[in-house]
Amino acid sequence: MGETAKDLAAQDRDILLALAAAIRAQIARCWPGQGGRAPAPDGTVIVDVSLNRSGTVRGARVTQAEGLAADQAFRANADAAHSAVLRCAPFSLPAEQYGYWRELTLRFHTG
């Protein structure tokens, strides 16, 4: 018998959870957390990342509202998060699941 939509959704969920754990573990070695910086105004920095199949970074950009760019605490945390993504590359992720991880939105908690 074939897989049902429910089976496929559960499979996708399991794959996404495993990938999130793998990415979190790899980023942890490069992200110093708050590291003595003041927290970002909303406590989070969001970085959109595009990866090549090899796990190298094709592109990474901080995606918060433009108004935060002038805030020194936000800028310091955004720079640290962006640098962490670049330092951690290449990411070691399953090639057969590239469709799941080629475009990522990473949230860095700063508070």
Side-chain angles (χ1 to χ4, degrees), residues 12-97:
D12 282 349
R13 185 192 68 240
D14 292 346
I15 289 169
L16 292 172
L17 289 172
L19 286 171
I23 293 164
R24 192 176 301 113
Q26 290 177 59
I27 287 282
R29 69 178 204 262
C30 304
W31 170 244
Q34 192 174 345
R37 295 179 304 278
D42 71 354
T44 304
V45 171
I46 299 171
V47 181
D48 283 340
V49 181
S50 297
L51 297 172
N52 295 308
R53 194 172 284 280
S54 63
T56 57
V57 175
R58 180 174 47 244
R61 68 183 189 92
V62 176
T63 60
Q64 261 95 345
E66 294 287 324
L68 292 175
D71 183 274
Q72 284 184 317
F74 173 78
R75 193 75 252 144
N77 284 285
D79 289 347
H82 185 265
S83 293
V85 170
L86 298 178
R87 275 195 318 275
C88 280
F91 291 88
S92 179
L93 300 166
E96 68 277 6
Q97 295 169 349

